[in-house]
Amino acid sequence: MASISAEELKGELAAGRSGLIDSALARTLDPQGLRSAMTELFDLVLGRLATHAGIVPGSGFALCAFGGLGRREMLPYSDLDLVLLYDGGRAGELQATADALWYPLWDSGLSIDHSVRTPEQCLALAAEEPKVALSMLEVRHIAGESSLCDKAASGARTAWRKVVHSKLDELVEQIAVRRRRSGAIAHRTEPDLKYGEGGLRDAQILDALAAANVANEAIAVIPGGPGRGALEARKLLLDVRTGLHLVGGKPRDILHAQFAADVARLLHYDDRFALARDLSNASRTIAFATDLGIRTARGAIPRRGIAAIRRAPARRPLAEGVVEQGGEVVLARGARPERDDSLLLRVATASARHGIPISAGTLRRLADGAPSLRNESSQVYHDNLVSLLGTGEAAIDVIETLDRSGLWDRILPEWAAVRDLPSRSAVHVFTVDRHQVQVVAEATRLATDVSRPDLLLICALVHDIGKGRRRDHCELGAELTSVICARLGMPERDAERVVTVVRHHLLFAKTAASRDAADPATAEEIFVRLGTRDRPTFELLVALTEADSRATGPGVWTPWKAHVHSTLATTCSAFVDDVAPGAPELSAADGPAVTANIRISKGAYATRYVLEAEIDGGTGGLADVLLVLAARGIEVVQAQTLRVEQGEAGEIHRVRAEISTLFGTPSDPALVAQDLRALSSSTVRSRLHSKVDRRQQEAWTAARASPRVWFEPGDREEAGSDPRSGLLRVRSADRPGLLAEMIGACRAAGVEVEWSRAETFGEFVADTLHVSGISDAPGGSERLVAAVRAMLPSPLPEAEENR
């Protein structure tokens, strides 16, 4: 049997490849043209080699390619992935044929991954291992019996369609392991173009799902989405990897910094940062398309056996106009995105809070109909956005989904300027947009350090929004933030605080690093620069500084830095202006009372209502009313209560509260009163507590921030002050029925709540209760504080350690 020599093979490949590489380096041949030409070169050479080895039509043998050559995406220094197929006969010729094929390839110095199998053996192996199944989907005939290759290729596709439902979970786990090992291309200084999240391996998953007819790259084509489609994104990654081979002179998958500038020039980019931005966009598009495709594939897989005759999955309500169906967030049947300004944010919040992804169909409906936020919008936008941001880490993937769908621009059109923008600092591990979202996640861990967690989350989201332009990003960011705050319908005073913190968000860190943190003059300088001594503003600045540092990268927030910042914060605290909360002024509610003196009227927007009540029974009666409301799915957003002595008639609590429902209208006051009358029964009380417990387990995310509770005694030197009274201050993550539990704890301790001010900011609360009647025994206030703290949501131990 004649054979081509290794030297001849090596010379032919070297000459052809050298000429193509020179043309590509001279930029007379673009990367895609180079890949096509390289594929043709190897097809020609391998075809000649196979013919010399006797692999011809009628021989019972076939040479097939998979991998890059199989996909016609041959790179300059890619490995060769080949399989020699035979029909099971001619066993005596098999060894000689294989030797004639493989030895010249080995001796030529080529790196090859090769095997010898029958089509049936290939299919059996593919049935056992998803990686083999995926590679078999790319098999392409090079030489010999085309029927053997067709049998393997068509059999692989048929088998894949049959087993995709059973292999999908294993495939998803392999994807997760690979992504954890290689990281995300978008956020790596030296990204792995092949194995990283959003890389070429992810793109191949989409091809495999398309081959099974369960999803394809078009699944992620959302009208108005940013950047390129999945196919274009894949081409860019291939072009970058091709350029990396060219400038690196060998097979490379990781775009090391030393090659980035040369690759950028080869691909006609101004610099490596421009390339990094496009690469980030492309990889995030592929990752989004892959994840969306997998979820779509799960829904497209036909149910079998008993599951096939069951009814469609139940729809579980999550929020007004939002339900869960089949493990995804979808719109309720009556939802109308074009008529509901806040539906987009409610969908996002429900997804983050419950850990359920948004369906592709829902994203398309929102893209088609959800309006952009208008200028001078109502408070509803601010409230819903804060609720989304308050979910912390859970919000990251949801915001990424909105961003890749073009929906995030409708909430923050200013985001486009920082999308995929690479940081110029080596210590930053994320792009600017992703960094800001990470700062939000870090800020949720510090939310109980500030009196206004809602403003902290907004500051975190937009603090670097001015980057990427030829101006001081702090000053430009402050200007843009002013526009954003107006669009979110924020009160003027709150907007001033956010704008001030964004303008000076680097002030605290720079001062701590360059001045004596314990020197009062240093503190004075900070307040002069800040232009205010307002305590909430100062708290926001300190917390944002820490969150920003923690989100920058590992090792940036060090124990030494934490110590210096804490020292400076303590020094500054003596110079801030404090405004003590005062008792609310609540007069008897106007209008006729509706059953048990409880009135509920419409509030500022849908799902918000105003409750006014006069409650008999002192603190115990107040706790009972709050318990009933929580059991009926009614949450207190803001509340003021005042205890009023009625002389011989006893006492009442006047209440004015802004309340919220997840969906629908709140219960009729008559039903609330009915539950109140029945609370004398321990069975009824237990039933209501069980309802609240169930809501806590089903409908709320884990706490991210450690609760803070402290007692501020009354002024003992003030005439008429009661030494057994004072302010109980609480900052905590929220959960259903929390205010009822806290006031119930006061009741159990024999303490009266004289008045209270309760505020909910998304996932967090900041409450002040003026209490009296604390025990004269030593440690009375400490026991009350401990009792309240024990019932508050606390982070998991790992989250506490990370803090």
Side-chain angles (χ1 to χ4, degrees):
M1 183 180 297
S3 177
I4 188 172
S5 71
E7 288 300 320
E8 184 181 356
L9 177 66
K10 185 175 183 179
E12 188 172 347
L13 285 174
R17 182 159 57 183
S18 177
L20 294 174
I21 288 175
D22 287 345
S23 296
L25 289 172
R27 298 200 283 192
T28 58
L29 186 64
D30 67 19
Q32 184 169 345
L34 173 62
R35 293 191 294 274
S36 297
M38 292 291 294
T39 298
E40 292 177 8
L41 172 64
F42 276 91
D43 279 0
L44 178 63
V45 172
L46 290 172
R48 286 184 56 234
L49 176 62
T51 298
H52 280 80
I55 303 172
V56 295
S59 66
F61 297 98
L63 176 62
C64 301
F66 54 98
L69 184 59
R71 295 189 300 272
R72 300 183 184 275
E73 296 173 350
M74 195 65 186
L75 273 64
Y77 299 100
S78 287
D79 295 345
L80 283 177
D81 299 306
L82 303 172
V83 58
L84 176 60
L85 296 177
Y86 68 104
D87 58 10
R90 307 191 187 189
E93 301 176 19
L94 180 59
Q95 186 64 53
T97 302
D99 289 347
L101 178 64
W102 302 136
Y103 272 103
L105 291 173
W106 292 332
D107 294 341
S108 69
L110 288 173
S111 176
I112 63 171
D113 182 359
H114 64 287
S115 59
V116 179
R117 294 190 179 96
T118 64
E120 292 77 11
Q121 289 172 337
C122 288
L123 297 178
L125 188 59
E128 297 174 2
E129 176 54 53
K131 288 182 180 179
V132 176
L134 295 181
S135 67
M136 286 298 298
L137 297 175
E138 302 168 344
V139 165
R140 183 170 66 86
H141 176 257
I142 300 294
E145 291 278 7
S146 60
S147 60
L148 291 175
C149 190
D150 291 342
K151 183 178 182 180
S154 62
R157 280 171 167 73
T158 300
W160 175 244
R161 294 187 185 111
K162 291 180 179 178
V163 304
V164 65
H165 65 280
S166 62
K167 296 294 184 183
L168 196 56
D169 288 342
E170 186 177 351
L171 183 62
V172 169
E173 178 58 28
Q174 290 177 355
I175 293 171
V177 170
R178 169 173 53 77
R179 286 179 171 183
R180 285 195 297 268
R181 182 177 61 246
S182 301
I185 290 176
H187 309 303
R188 282 292 177 100
T189 306
E190 296 185 330
D192 188 329
L193 303 172
K194 186 175 182 180
Y195 297 105
E197 180 180 332
L200 293 169
R201 277 287 185 261
D202 276 0
Q204 287 173 243
I205 300 300
L206 273 178
D207 290 342
L209 297 178
N213 295 326
V214 291
N216 55 52
E217 68 280 345
I219 196 68
V221 178
I222 307 294
R228 51 182 57 80
L231 289 177
E232 293 178 284
R234 176 178 179 164
K235 179 182 178 299
L236 176 62
L237 261 70
L238 276 171
D239 287 351
V240 175
R241 190 173 176 223
T242 303
L244 181 59
H245 276 222
L246 289 170
V247 302
K250 62 172 63 175
R252 296 181 185 275
D253 297 322
I254 298 177
L255 182 59
H256 291 293
Q258 67 195 84
F259 301 118
D262 290 337
V263 172
R265 280 194 295 271
L266 189 65
L267 298 181
H268 304 280
Y269 284 94
D270 292 338
D271 56 32
R272 63 187 178 90
F273 295 104
L275 171 61
R277 187 168 193 176
D278 253 13
L279 193 58
S280 171
N281 183 290
S283 66
R284 290 162 83 169
T285 296
I286 289 174
F288 170 64
T290 302
D291 293 343
L292 204 58
I294 289 172
R295 295 205 305 273
T296 303
R298 289 190 189 281
I301 293 171
R303 287 178 284 178
R304 299 171 181 272
I306 296 177
I309 61 175
R310 290 177 179 165
R311 291 181 295 176
R315 296 165 70 88
R316 176 169 69 105
L318 301 178
E320 182 70 25
V322 186
V323 299
E324 175 198 359
Q325 183 176 26
E328 293 184 312
V329 174
V330 301
L331 298 182
R333 291 188 177 90
R336 295 291 182 269
E338 65 280 0
R339 300 178 186 175
D340 190 338
D341 291 348
S342 63
L343 180 60
L344 168 58
L345 281 170
R346 294 205 305 277
V347 167
T349 302
S351 174
R353 184 174 286 172
H354 294 272
I356 305 170
I358 305 171
S359 75
T362 297
L363 291 172
R364 286 196 178 86
R365 280 196 63 190
L366 291 171
D368 288 340
S372 299
L373 267 63
R374 302 183 299 270
N375 288 334
E376 299 183 359
S377 302
S378 70
Q379 183 74 12
V380 62
Y381 296 114
H382 173 267
D383 293 347
N384 281 281
L385 179 59
V386 168
S387 292
L388 170 61
L389 301 180
T391 59
E393 294 281 350
I396 294 176
D397 287 343
V398 176
I399 292 176
E400 179 76 3
T401 296
L402 298 185
D403 192 35
R404 293 299 112 183
S405 306
L407 293 167
W408 192 240
D409 284 352
R410 304 188 188 185
I411 299 168
L412 282 177
E414 295 82 1
W415 200 258
V418 296
R419 179 181 293 113
D420 297 303
L421 183 67
S423 174
R424 301 273 172 157
S425 170
V427 298
H428 278 267
V429 297
F430 297 118
T431 54
V432 173
D433 57 334
R434 177 65 172 77
H435 167 73
Q436 292 190 124
V437 179
Q438 188 66 36
V439 175
V440 170
E442 295 293 343
T444 59
R445 298 185 176 94
L446 306 171
T448 53
D449 291 353
V450 300
S451 57
R452 292 298 303 273
D454 57 331
L455 302 187
L456 174 61
L457 297 176
I458 298 296
C459 288
L461 182 66
V462 301
H463 73 284
D464 276 344
I465 201 71
K467 283 191 171 180
R469 269 81 47 107
R470 298 180 182 275
R471 282 188 59 188
D472 178 350
H473 82 278
C474 295
E475 286 299 326
L476 178 57
E479 294 173 14
L480 295 173
T481 298
S482 179
V483 175
I484 292 169
C485 290
R487 192 167 60 244
L488 291 175
M490 292 175 62
E492 183 177 349
R493 185 71 184 94
D494 290 348
E496 288 176 359
R497 287 167 170 156
V498 174
V499 170
T500 297
V501 172
V502 170
R503 176 176 284 114
H504 297 288
H505 72 269
L506 300 178
L507 172 62
F508 198 80
K510 287 183 176 179
T511 304
S514 60
R515 300 290 303 275
D516 181 359
D519 187 352
T522 304
E524 186 63 32
E525 180 181 332
I526 284 181
F527 288 115
V528 169
R529 293 278 304 279
L530 202 58
T532 179
R533 297 176 185 272
D534 176 57
R535 177 172 284 280
T537 302
F538 177 69
E539 290 176 342
L540 294 174
L541 179 64
V542 175
L544 178 62
T545 300
E546 179 176 343
D548 192 9
S549 186
R550 286 181 178 274
T552 297
V556 176
W557 183 255
T558 63
W560 175 85
K561 182 177 286 188
H563 170 72
V564 172
H565 280 226
S566 176
T567 301
L568 182 55
T570 301
T571 304
C572 291
S573 294
F575 295 85
V576 297
D577 293 334
D578 276 318
V579 178
E585 296 180 3
L586 297 178
S587 56
D590 295 330
V594 179
T595 311
N597 292 329
I598 298 174
R599 304 167 178 81
I600 298 178
S601 56
K602 289 184 178 181
Y605 54 84
T607 75
R608 286 291 172 88
Y609 300 84
V610 175
L611 178 145
E612 297 174 283
E614 293 179 348
I615 302 165
D616 291 327
T619 298
L622 177 60
D624 287 346
V625 167
L626 293 172
L627 170 63
V628 171
L629 294 177
R632 289 190 168 273
I634 300 172
E635 289 300 321
V636 175
V637 179
Q638 293 182 338
Q640 299 178 7
T641 74
L642 179 65
R643 181 169 171 260
V644 180
E645 294 286 354
Q646 299 286 296
E648 294 182 359
E651 61 182 2
I652 61 171
H653 261 92
R654 288 179 181 156
V655 179
R656 190 180 193 282
E658 186 176 352
I659 60 175
S660 172
T661 60
L662 286 177
F663 29 79
T665 58
S667 303
D668 188 297
L671 297 178
V672 176
Q674 177 179 303
D675 281 346
L676 283 172
R677 288 193 293 270
L679 278 178
S680 57
S681 164
S682 59
T683 301
V684 172
R685 185 177 294 275
S686 176
R687 175 173 55 82
L688 294 182
H689 278 294
S690 295
K691 283 186 176 181
V692 176
D693 290 343
R694 189 161 53 250
R695 289 190 59 225
Q696 291 174 357
Q697 294 170 6
E698 295 177 353
W700 227 251
T701 54
R704 302 293 299 169
S706 301
R708 294 187 62 207
V709 186
W710 69 98
F711 180 73
E712 298 175 359
D715 188 350
R716 296 179 181 275
E717 297 181 1
E718 182 179 343
S721 65
D722 184 354
R724 299 183 303 157
S725 67
L727 299 181
L728 182 66
R729 310 290 291 270
V730 179
R731 295 177 185 173
S732 168
D734 194 16
R735 72 176 179 212
L738 183 58
L739 183 58
E741 289 185 48
M742 288 194 295
I743 292 181
C746 292
R747 174 191 185 187
V751 174
E752 289 287 352
V753 177
E754 299 293 337
W755 57 263
S756 69
R757 293 181 180 273
E759 290 187 284
T760 304
F761 303 103
E763 308 293 294
F764 303 97
V765 299
D767 298 344
T768 301
L769 287 69
H770 187 278
V771 297
S772 65
I774 295 176
S775 171
D776 288 327
S781 61
E782 288 82 356
R783 286 191 294 275
L784 176 61
V785 166
V788 171
R789 182 184 289 113
M791 68 178 52
L792 298 176
S794 296
L796 298 173
E798 311 88 78
E800 292 273 18
E801 290 175 8
N802 292 336
R803 174 81 187 273

